[in-house]
Amino acid sequence: MLLPFDYVRARSREEAVDLALRAGAGGRFLAGGTDLLVRIHDRQLRPKMVIDLKGIEGMQAINCCDGEGLVVGAATPLNRLIRDEVVRSKYGLLAEAAHTVGSMQIRNRASLGGNISNASPAADTAPALLLYEAEILTWGPCGVRKIPVGEFFKGPGATALGEGEFVFKVRLPILKERSFGAYLKLGRTSAVDLAIVSVAALALEGGEVRLALGAVAPTPIRVKEAEAILRNRKDKEAIREAAVATRRLAAPISDIRASREYRLEMTEVLTARAIEQALAGLAARAR
Amino acid sequence: MAAKTSYIGAGVVRNDAREKVTGTARYAGDLKFDRMLYAKLLRSKYAHARLVRVDASKAEKLPGVKAVVTGKDFPYRMGLYLVDRTPYAVDKVRYYGEPVAGVAAISPEIAEEALSLIQVEYEELPPVLDVLEAIKPESPLVHPNLHEYEHVPAIFPVPHTNISNHFKIRKGDVAKGFAEADVIVEDTYYVPQIQHSPLEPHAAIALYDREGKLTIWASSQSPFAMRKILSQSLKWPMHRIRVIGPYVGGGFGGKAGLNVEATLVPLAMKARGYPVKLVCTREEEFRDTFVRQGMWCRLKTGVKRNGRITAQEFEMYWDGGAYTEYGVNVTRAAGYSSAGVYDIPNMKTDSYCVYTNKPVGGPLRGFGHGENHWAIEQHMDQIAHRLGMDPVEFRMINLQREGSTNATGQVLHNVGIGKCLEEAARLIGWTKVAGPAKIEPGTKKVRAKGIACMTKAPAMPNDAASTAIVKLNDDGTVVLNISAQELGQGAFTVLAQICAEELGVRYEDIRIYPVDTDHGAYEWQTVASRITYSCGRAVMEAARDAKRQLTDHASRYFGVPAEDVDVVDGEVFVKSNPSRRVPVGTLALGATLPDFSGYGGPVVGRGKFIPEGIVAMDAETGQSPKPVANWTYGAQGVEIELDLETGRIDVKKVAAVYDAGRVINPVTATSQVEGGVVQGLSIGLFEEMKFDERGRLLNPSYVDYKIATAAEIPEMLVGFVEVPQEDGPYGARGIGEHVMVPTPPAIANALFHAVGVRVKRLPMTSENVYWALRQE
Amino acid sequence: MIHNIRVKVNGEWVEACVPSHRRLLDFLREDLDLIGAKEGCGGGECGACTVLVNGEPINACLMLAVEADGADVLTVEGLGYADHLDPVQEAFVENSALQCGYCIPGMIMSAKALLVRNPSPTREEVVEAISGNLCRCTGYARIVDAIMQAAQVARAAESSKVGGE
C-alpha cells in the first residue's frame, strides 16, 4: 500500500518541467518507477505529485548512427536496451552492465535515465557510460543542457540536475575503433544484487584501455591515471600495476554490504580480471 | 480383478498442485470480508525504554478509525512454554519494533495516518544487546519479574537474571573422560540471528462477533495451540475461540504458536462486529515475527589417539531476544541433542536461553540443531584433523549405533546414521582426506569436499497428539478431516496417500479442507517434522476404522464373512468371488439389504495418536530412558569451488541422505530435501540480521538480507535410508527440518579442506571468507 | 487524484476509477479480486507479484494502476483452469515444482514470458528469467526442470503441427 499522491502523465517536455516547478519539493519524476515507488513504499519519500515522463515523445526511443552515435531515450526500459541489436554489437559493455541490474522484471521497467538520475554510486550502467564518454541530455526550465557523464554525478544521490530538470536522452558517441568491454560486478548473491564493487574495462583497438568503477567512491568514477599505465603495456605486470593504481584511486565506505577494506581489495582483484577479459575479448574479436 | 495399487512409496502428484498453479489457492492475506477493517501497528523506536506516556486520543478522533489499543488496554501475558509476552508493550518496550499501539480503520491509509497521531513518550534504558554481556550479574534485566512468570515444568528460569532457561546434561564423569583423553580440542562458534523469510508474510483477520465469539483466520502452523494460548490467557472457554487456517505460504517455524495474531485480539474486541485484518510488511516480517536466535558456544572434546571420543563439554548461550516464550524450548532441544550423532560416554552440557533487547527468538526449521550442529560438525572435522584422520573415518568410529547412548543416556536402537554417512560419502565421491589440499601458486579457484551429519528429534511436549476423522460421502469419495497444516511440505498429499492405502479408495477421491478448530480433528501443531509420523498414524487408524465399518456393511450386503471382503481402488468385493463387487459409494452410508432394510449407517472412521513412553528428563542431569518420540538421522556431503581472490564460495554439488524410516512419497520427500539444502546453503553463505549499537535492525528487506536465488542452486543428489521407526506409519519418521541442518557445517568443512581455513561464524559470505583466507 | 482507466485484463477490457497511488497489484487483488499475484515484499525484490504487461513480466507492486491504462495485463488467472492447464502450469504440476505455492503464480508468469520470447531456452536462461522470483521452499531445481520441460512440450507440439500440414 502506498500513501496518497497525485499522478500526472506529462504530454511534453515543457509540461513536465512546468508541473515539476509548480509541485516544487513535493514533485518527483517517474520513469520506470523501480526506485521511486520502492522509496515511496518504504516511506522514505512522500511526494505530493508524481510526474510520469514516459508519455513524452522520444523518451523511450533508441536511435543510432546518424552521425550522432547512439541516442537512448531516458525512459527506455533496460531490457529494450539490452535486446537492441546495435547496442549489443557496438556498445556491448553497456548491454552487459544493464543486464546486471536487478531482475528480469525490474529491467522491464527500470530505465537508463532512472539508473543514472538516482545517482547511486553502485549504478550499474554508470561505469559503462563513463567509458563510452556519454553525454547526458537534460531538459529543464532553460531547455536542453548537454552534460558530459563525468560531470553528471555529484555525490551519492546527487546529480547536476537542477530544479525541474530531468534526463531526456543519453548519447553515446560513435566509437570508431573496434572495442571489447567487460563489466565485473561482485554482489553477495550471484544474481539480483547491488554491487559491492563493480569494475568496467573497455579495450580499444588503438591500444587504449579505459577503466571505471562503481560502488567504491561517492560517485561512479573513471580512473584515467590507471588507464595511463596500460597505454603502451598490456603485460601481466602492467595489468597488476593498473589494478594497484585503481585501488589507490578508489575511496569506498564501509556499509552493511561490505567493509571499506574488502571493497579496496576487491577493486584490485576485479580490475585485473576486467582488464584481462577485455583484452582477451578484443584479441578474439580481432581474429 | 484390479491389482491393489500401493500408495506407499508412490510419487503421486501433490493434491494441492492444481490449486496452486492456477492461483486459486487461498492464503490468509487473500481473504476479504464485508466491513473489513485494516490494522496497523505503532512500533517502538527504542530497543529498551520505559513507556512514560502513550496518548492515542488524537488517533481515536480521526475519521475512519474504529479502534485504537495500547498495552494498558490489554495487559495479558501469553506464551507457549513461558508466559512472558504481552501483545503490546505495557510498561516498557524490550526491542526496536515491539508493538506499542494498534489501530483498526476503514482503510490501510487511514490506519497508517492514525499511527502518526499517537504520541509516545519514552525514557530510554540501556539496551542489552550482547548475549555474553547479558549473563553478567551487573547486566540490566530485560524482565525483572521473570520469577513471577508461569512456565511449563521442563523449563528452568534463573530468577533475577536474564537467563530464562538453563538446561543441563550431566552424563558420566566428564573429569575422568578428559583425563583419559590423549588430545583435547576446544573452540568457540557463533551463529547470528536469521529470519525464516517465508514468501508469504504473516497475515491474519480477527472478528469478535455479537455473540462474544472470537474467530481468527490466520497464516498459522498452530491453530489449536493458538486457541489454547488465547483461552488460557483470556480465561475463556475454548468454544468462544475459533481459529481457521487456510494454506500457509511457508512457515519454517515462524508461524508456529501465537504471534502477530495476538495484536489483533484487543483490536477486534474493541471494534466488535468488524473483521480486522493485519498483513505484515516485509520489514515487519523480518523483525517483528519470530527470528532464529543467535547463539554463541564453546565446545571442548577429549579424544583418544585411536579416535574414540571420551568426553565433551558444551556451553551454549542463546541470544533469545525480548521474549523467549517459545525460544526456551529451542535451547532445551539443542541441549538434549548436544551429542549430535556421536556416542559420547561423558558429557556436560549447559544451554542458556538469555533475554536481550533484540527481536523475539523462536522456532526455526531445525529448532536449535542448525545452530548446535554448526559447532559440533566443524568440531568433529577439527578433531579428525588434529588426529590426522579422515573426517568420515573419524566419524564412523564415534557414530551412535545399536546400543549406544546419546546425551540423555537413552539407549539407542535401529540407528541409521552409519548408512546415511556411508551413502552421502559415496554420492559426493568422497576420497580420504587428511587436512587441507596443497594449492599451486597462481591458482585462482580450488575445489574441495566436506561432510557433516545431523540428528534431531521432535521437540514437543510429551502429550503432543494427533487425531483424524475419515468420513465417506454418499458416492464413496472421502473427506479426510485432519488439522495438520499444508505449509508446502506436502502433508495433505502424504496423509491422503496413507488414507487411500488403508481404506482402499483412490487417492484422487480424498479431499482435505483447511483447518478449523471448531470442526476439525485435533492436532497439536504442524511443527517438529511430526506430521507424517504422528498425524500419519492417526490417519492410518481412522482409515482402518472406516474400512472395518465398510467391510462390516459388505459382509451383510454380500452375505459372506467379513474376512472374505476387501476394499481396493474404491471397490468393495468378495475375495472368494471377485466378480461380486460394488463401488464403495454403495456401502458408504450403510448397506441396503435384499429386503430393502438398512444396515450400519454412514461410515465415519476415527483415529488418534500420541507418542507413548516418553519420560521427562531429570531436571539436574537431563537423563531419561526415552526423552523424545524418535530421532531422525542424516548426512550431507558438499563440493564447493572457492575463489581464492574474492573469498566467494560456489556450492557445486550437495549429496544429502536421510533415514526417513520409510519414504511415503519419494517425490515430495526428495523435494523437501532439495528445498532444505538450498535453505541451508542460503543460511550458510548469506543470511544474517545485522543490528546497530542501539539494537535497530539494519537489514529488514531482501535488498540487504539476501536469500538464495535460482542462480545459486547446486547439483543435488538425494538419497534415503529406510531403517523403520517402530511406531511410525509404515516405519516413517520426519525429515522436514533435518534437511537443512548439515549444509552450513559441510560447506565450512569443505572450505577447510580447500585451504585450511575455518570460518567459525556464520554466514560464510565472500568477505568473511576472504578475511579468513588473508589471516592464514 | 482519481483516474478513469481502461485495462485489458486476461483478455477482457476493464474500466475502473483508481486513485493515483493505487498500485497495479492492489488494483488486481483488491478491485478485481484476482488474488493470484501475491505481495511478498512490496519492493520489487521477491517477484511474487509478477504479472505480464504487454507480454513482459513486471512486478505489479512497482507499477501504478494508472500506468497500466490501455495496457494488456495477463495474470495467472488468465492462463488455465485446473482441468485445462496451460503447458507451463502442467509442467509445474508434473514436476512437483511447488511447495507452499505462494511464489508459484509469479514464477509461472515469469516462465510463461520467457517461453513466449524464447521457446528453446538453456538452463542458464531459465535461471536468469526466474532469478527475480524468490522461493524459500523448493530449492528451485524442480522449477527449472519444469520450465525446461514445458519448453520441450511446446516445441514438440509445434513440430507435430508442422508435420501434420
Side-chain angles (χ1 to χ4, degrees):
Chain A
M1 188 262 305
L2 305 180
L3 292 176
F5 53 77
D6 287 339
Y7 164 96
V8 185
R9 187 174 168 91
R11 283 158 297 188
S12 68
R13 293 183 293 190
E14 292 76 7
E15 191 189 18
V17 170
D18 229 41
L19 286 164
L21 289 178
R22 258 189 284 149
R28 288 280 159 174
F29 291 119
L30 168 74
T34 54
D35 189 82
L36 179 66
L37 295 187
V38 173
R39 288 204 249 168
I40 295 174
H41 175 265
D42 291 348
R43 309 300 187 250
Q44 292 166 8
L45 275 183
R46 177 109 198 241
K48 285 199 177 63
M49 179 178 285
V50 166
I51 303 149
D52 191 349
L53 302 173
K54 290 191 289 294
I56 298 171
E57 203 191 323
M59 279 298 279
Q60 295 193 319
I62 301 176
N63 290 302
C64 187
C65 310
D66 48 0
E68 282 223 45
L70 179 78
V71 181
V72 181
T76 306
L78 294 176
N79 263 346
R80 210 181 298 167
L81 192 70
I82 295 162
R83 288 169 187 157
D84 187 274
E85 269 314 310
V86 175
V87 176
R88 294 168 74 95
S89 58
K90 298 212 164 118
Y91 302 92
L93 180 62
L94 179 61
E96 189 186 340
H99 205 161
T100 69
V101 174
S103 61
M104 183 69 82
Q105 294 92 316
I106 292 291
R107 292 192 297 275
N108 277 329
R109 297 282 294 162
S111 65
L112 185 61
N115 196 238
I116 59 172
S117 296
N118 294 320
S120 159
D124 284 307
T125 61
L129 294 178
L130 284 166
L131 298 193
Y132 287 122
E133 297 177 338
E135 191 172 61
I136 312 299
L137 278 66
T138 69
W139 183 266
C142 307
V144 175
R145 281 208 294 158
K146 295 182 177 178
I147 306 171
V149 66
E151 293 165 28
F152 182 77
F153 301 110
K154 298 294 183 194
T159 64
L161 289 170
E163 204 184 325
E165 188 177 14
F166 60 90
V167 177
F168 178 50
K169 282 181 174 162
V170 176
R171 192 179 74 83
L172 280 67
I174 296 174
L175 259 189
K176 299 214 172 64
E177 301 163 69
R178 220 188 319 234
S179 70
F180 195 89
Y183 180 66
L184 297 188
K185 171 178 173 177
L186 184 71
R188 291 156 297 187
T189 48
S190 312
V192 198
D193 196 6
L194 302 167
I196 290 174
V197 176
S198 66
V199 179
L202 186 69
L204 305 177
E205 210 170 21
E208 193 186 351
V209 178
R210 298 177 185 173
L211 296 170
L213 312 175
V216 291
T219 67
I221 52 168
R222 183 160 170 192
V223 284
K224 290 199 177 171
E225 294 90 327
E227 293 176 10
I229 296 167
L230 298 163
R231 191 73 199 99
N232 300 310
R233 294 162 50 211
K234 310 275 188 291
D235 55 291
K236 276 213 151 20
E237 190 49 32
I239 293 172
R240 207 190 59 79
E241 280 173 38
V244 171
T246 303
R247 176 208 181 109
R248 273 202 306 272
L249 296 164
I253 56 162
S254 288
D255 65 13
I256 191 163
R257 285 156 212 152
S259 69
R260 169 187 156 79
E261 294 71 24
Y262 184 61
R263 285 193 161 102
L264 285 172
E265 302 274 306
M266 290 307 104
T267 301
E268 190 178 327
V269 170
L270 263 58
T271 301
R273 288 184 181 183
I275 296 169
E276 280 166 15
Q277 282 186 23
L279 289 173
L282 185 69
R285 196 165 267 199
R287 257 184 261 128
Chain B
M1 179 195 150
K4 184 173 158 66
T5 343
S6 179
Y7 287 108
I8 303 308
V12 302
V13 171
R14 296 177 63 107
N15 51 13
D16 55 351
R18 282 170 189 271
E19 237 179 305
K20 286 178 175 174
V21 298
T22 51
T24 27
R26 287 201 180 244
Y27 302 82
D30 297 330
L31 303 178
K32 213 176 358 174
F33 299 106
D34 289 343
R35 288 158 49 88
M36 195 165 79
L37 303 179
Y38 298 84
K40 293 270 174 194
L41 304 177
L42 183 71
R43 295 182 174 279
S44 168
K45 298 288 175 215
Y46 295 93
H48 198 191
R50 204 167 66 78
L51 281 175
V52 180
R53 190 176 64 96
V54 184
D55 180 359
S57 53
K58 280 189 191 146
E60 280 166 350
K61 288 182 194 121
L62 185 73
V65 170
K66 297 285 182 186
V68 182
V69 297
T70 68
K72 293 259 184 277
D73 297 326
F74 200 72
Y76 299 96
R77 273 205 303 271
M78 304 176 177
L80 191 64
Y81 296 102
L82 168 67
V83 184
D84 68 355
R85 186 181 186 186
T86 52
Y88 296 91
V90 179
D91 296 318
K92 67 172 185 172
V93 290
R94 294 181 171 88
Y95 76 95
Y96 183 105
E98 180 165 4
V100 171
V103 170
I106 56 171
S107 78
E109 288 90 344
I110 293 172
E112 188 162 328
E113 198 186 334
L115 292 187
S116 67
L117 300 175
I118 299 172
Q119 292 167 330
V120 186
E121 205 180 303
Y122 298 94
E123 183 189 309
E124 205 174 346
L125 299 168
V128 182
L129 299 174
D130 183 315
V131 66
L132 296 180
E133 292 296 317
I135 52 171
K136 291 182 179 164
E138 64 272 23
S139 171
L141 294 182
V142 179
H143 288 264
N145 300 330
L146 171 60
H147 57 283
E148 294 171 6
Y149 296 168
E150 288 173 61
H151 58 83
V152 298
I155 296 305
F156 305 97
V158 184
H160 313 295
T161 72
N162 281 319
I163 297 167
S164 59
N165 188 24
H166 178 193
F167 178 85
K168 289 181 262 188
I169 291 284
R170 302 290 183 266
K171 178 191 177 189
D173 182 342
V174 177
K176 183 170 144 275
F178 279 113
E180 284 166 12
D182 297 317
V183 175
I184 293 175
V185 175
E186 180 172 351
D187 217 328
T188 61
Y189 309 85
Y190 176 75
V191 297
Q193 267 95 346
I194 58 170
Q195 228 293 325
H196 313 70
S197 179
L199 262 288
E200 178 208 28
H202 280 66
I205 301 171
L207 168 67
Y208 186 58
D209 66 20
R210 285 165 208 283
E211 276 182 89
K213 180 156 183 160
L214 178 69
T215 302
I216 299 176
W217 293 260
S219 177
S220 170
Q221 298 175 237
S222 314
F224 281 87
M226 193 185 289
R227 183 180 70 163
K228 180 177 180 179
I229 297 170
L230 285 171
S231 158
Q232 284 176 341
S233 175
L234 299 170
K235 308 212 165 16
W236 286 8
M238 285 190 180
H239 58 68
R240 275 185 69 191
I241 304 163
R242 177 183 181 193
V243 183
I244 296 171
Y247 280 127
V248 176
F252 314 109
K255 291 168 182 166
L258 174 70
N259 207 294
V260 299
E261 303 82 12
T263 60
L264 278 181
V265 173
L267 279 173
M269 288 170 70
K270 239 182 181 176
R272 194 164 178 175
Y274 291 93
V276 187
K277 181 176 189 173
L278 176 73
V279 180
C280 284
T281 63
R282 183 51 63 180
E283 180 180 351
E284 290 177 310
E285 188 65 27
F286 268 109
R287 188 191 53 214
D288 308 317
T289 63
F290 283 132
V291 304
R292 183 168 101 174
Q293 304 172 108
M295 192 265 276
W296 183 93
C297 69
R298 192 180 62 79
L299 183 52
K300 179 177 156 190
T301 305
V303 61
K304 283 193 171 299
R305 287 229 185 280
N306 65 10
R308 190 71 184 90
I309 297 172
T310 56
Q312 176 187 291
E313 214 173 81
F314 203 168
E315 274 172 46
M316 293 175 256
Y317 297 92
W318 297 83
D319 191 345
Y323 300 93
T324 62
E325 50 111 349
Y326 209 135
V328 287
N329 198 34
V330 176
T331 64
R332 173 177 174 268
Y336 65 65
S337 68
S338 53
V341 299
Y342 307 103
D343 181 349
I344 306 175
N346 305 294
M347 287 183 70
K348 177 173 184 282
T349 301
D350 291 278
S351 181
Y352 300 92
C353 190
V354 183
Y355 284 126
T356 57
N357 292 115
K358 295 229 194 103
V360 180
L364 186 148
R365 194 178 197 178
F367 208 77
H369 296 67
E371 300 92 311
N372 67 7
H373 281 76
W374 168 245
I376 296 167
E377 286 302 309
Q378 288 209 65
H379 201 70
M380 291 301 153
D381 260 43
Q382 289 171 273
I383 301 170
H385 179 54
R386 276 282 291 278
L387 296 174
M389 289 176 88
D390 171 73
V392 172
E393 190 188 330
F394 170 71
R395 281 180 173 79
M396 285 294 183
I397 294 171
N398 291 289
L399 287 183
Q400 292 169 3
R401 61 197 80 218
E402 185 65 33
S404 297
T405 57
N406 61 16
T408 68
Q410 176 187 12
V411 181
L412 301 163
H413 304 288
N414 305 323
V415 182
I417 183 60
K419 286 185 187 171
C420 291
L421 178 56
E422 230 168 68
E423 180 62 2
R426 189 187 70 78
L427 287 174
I428 201 70
W430 187 262
T431 45
K432 279 198 179 186
V433 288
K438 287 224 166 19
I439 300 163
E440 297 295 315
T443 311
K444 288 183 178 175
K445 289 184 176 178
V446 286
R447 281 202 178 214
K449 290 168 186 167
I451 209 139
C453 300
M454 72 84 55
T455 186
K456 182 187 176 295
M460 56 191 190
N462 297 353
D463 61 353
S466 299
T467 51
I469 301 165
V470 170
K471 292 194 291 181
L472 262 55
N473 293 323
D474 315 27
D475 64 349
T477 58
V478 178
V479 176
L480 175 58
N481 181 333
I482 46 102
S483 297
Q485 267 293 29
E486 180 52 73
L487 319 170
Q489 82 282 45
F492 284 9
T493 302
V494 162
L495 296 172
Q497 281 178 264
I498 294 173
C499 182
E501 178 75 9
E502 292 298 329
L503 184 52
V505 299
R506 298 187 319 149
Y507 160 78
E508 298 78 24
D509 288 337
I510 298 169
R511 285 292 171 278
I512 300 173
Y513 298 104
V515 180
D516 181 335
T517 56
D518 267 7
H519 307 291
Y522 175 81
E523 184 61 65
W524 176 59
Q525 301 190 80
T526 301
V527 298
S529 312
R530 59 180 281 280
I531 291 301
T532 300
Y533 162 72
S534 179
C535 191
R537 274 290 305 271
V539 169
M540 216 168 157
E541 192 178 303
R544 284 178 183 171
D545 184 21
K547 186 176 176 181
R548 259 193 307 275
Q549 296 168 39
L550 258 184
T551 311
D552 175 46
H553 297 172
S555 154
R556 288 290 292 272
Y557 182 84
F558 291 121
V560 299
E563 304 80 63
D564 196 20
V565 172
D566 203 357
V567 189
V568 170
D569 289 342
E571 288 189 312
V572 190
F573 63 96
V574 179
K575 286 196 267 190
S576 59
N577 182 4
S579 64
R580 298 188 68 197
R581 55 177 56 233
V582 292
V584 164
T586 307
L587 302 169
L589 302 187
T592 303
L593 302 181
D595 63 358
F596 294 101
S597 65
Y599 172 78
V603 172
V604 182
R606 64 185 184 109
K608 55 190 165 47
F609 180 73
I610 192 164
E612 289 179 354
I614 302 177
V615 179
M617 284 169 266
D618 182 85
E620 282 309 310
T621 66
Q623 301 299 290
S624 162
K626 188 184 179 190
V628 291
N630 58 59
W631 294 92
T632 300
Y633 292 89
Q636 289 187 14
V638 304
E639 182 171 3
I640 65 164
E641 184 178 82
L642 172 69
D643 185 329
L644 295 168
E645 290 184 329
T646 63
R648 181 183 195 84
I649 292 174
D650 186 1
V651 181
K652 292 290 184 190
K653 196 191 268 191
V654 179
V657 182
Y658 285 85
D659 180 5
R662 178 75 189 270
V663 177
I664 309 279
N665 184 323
V667 175
T668 55
T670 304
S671 74
Q672 268 291 92
V673 180
E674 292 164 352
V677 164
V678 172
Q679 193 172 10
L681 177 156
S682 186
I683 287 167
L685 299 186
F686 310 125
E687 298 184 34
E688 175 176 17
M689 296 175 71
K690 294 185 176 181
F691 299 90
D692 70 9
E693 70 288 346
R694 296 181 58 219
R696 185 172 63 105
L697 178 62
L698 296 170
N699 55 339
S701 80
Y702 286 129
V703 177
D704 283 315
Y705 185 104
K706 304 308 286 184
I707 67 170
T709 69
E712 261 81 34
I713 48 176
E715 180 189 353
M716 290 182 268
L717 305 167
V718 176
F720 292 103
V721 163
E722 296 186 323
V723 178
Q725 172 65 32
E726 51 182 36
D727 61 349
Y730 316 98
R733 62 173 78 80
I735 59 158
E737 298 168 273
H738 313 73
V739 292
M740 69 164 229
V741 169
T743 323
I747 295 170
N749 290 339
L751 176 64
F752 180 81
H753 294 143
V755 284
V757 161
R758 256 185 206 286
V759 178
K760 287 169 256 181
R761 180 193 196 290
L762 277 175
M764 293 171 275
T765 60
S766 303
E767 175 161 5
N768 288 348
V769 172
Y770 179 81
W771 293 122
L773 290 171
R774 287 292 303 268
Q775 269 181 359
E776 206 55 27
Chain C
M1 200 180 275
I2 303 289
H3 309 265
N4 187 255
I5 59 169
R6 222 170 147 259
V7 189
K8 194 173 184 182
V9 180
N10 298 333
E12 276 178 53
W13 283 101
V14 179
E15 258 194 78
C17 282
V18 293
S20 295
H21 69 285
R22 196 102 174 124
R23 302 174 303 174
L24 177 61
L25 179 61
D26 301 320
F27 175 65
L28 294 170
R29 288 179 55 86
E30 304 295 329
D31 297 347
L32 304 185
D33 281 330
L34 295 169
I35 50 105
K38 308 292 183 203
E39 179 158 0
C41 71
E45 292 286 328
C46 78
C49 65
T50 303
V51 300
L52 307 193
V53 173
N54 299 328
E56 300 286 358
I58 60 108
N59 295 306
C61 71
L62 294 187
M63 183 170 186
L64 301 174
V66 59
E67 286 184 276
D69 188 17
D72 189 339
V73 176
L74 185 69
T75 74
V76 73
E77 287 91 344
L79 286 191
Y81 297 98
D83 51 3
H84 187 80
L85 295 176
D86 181 274
V88 176
Q89 294 171 313
E90 193 72 59
F92 271 66
V93 172
E94 273 180 33
N95 286 275
S96 203
L98 60 98
Q99 288 188 30
C100 86
Y102 199 78
C103 72
I104 293 301
M107 200 68 89
I108 285 175
M109 297 317 288
S110 284
K112 185 74 193 167
L114 170 71
L115 298 186
V116 168
R117 174 174 291 283
N118 177 3
S120 306
T122 61
R123 263 189 106 78
E124 290 67 37
E125 287 167 330
V126 170
V127 165
E128 194 213 326
I130 62 163
S131 57
N133 293 82
L134 295 178
C135 169
R136 192 57 148 173
C137 301
T138 65
Y140 303 104
R142 279 163 197 277
I143 291 174
V144 177
D145 292 344
I147 299 170
M148 293 299 286
Q149 186 193 310
Q152 202 189 353
V153 168
R155 285 197 304 273
E158 199 54 37
S159 64
S160 73
K161 233 190 280 172
V162 173
E165 278 168 358

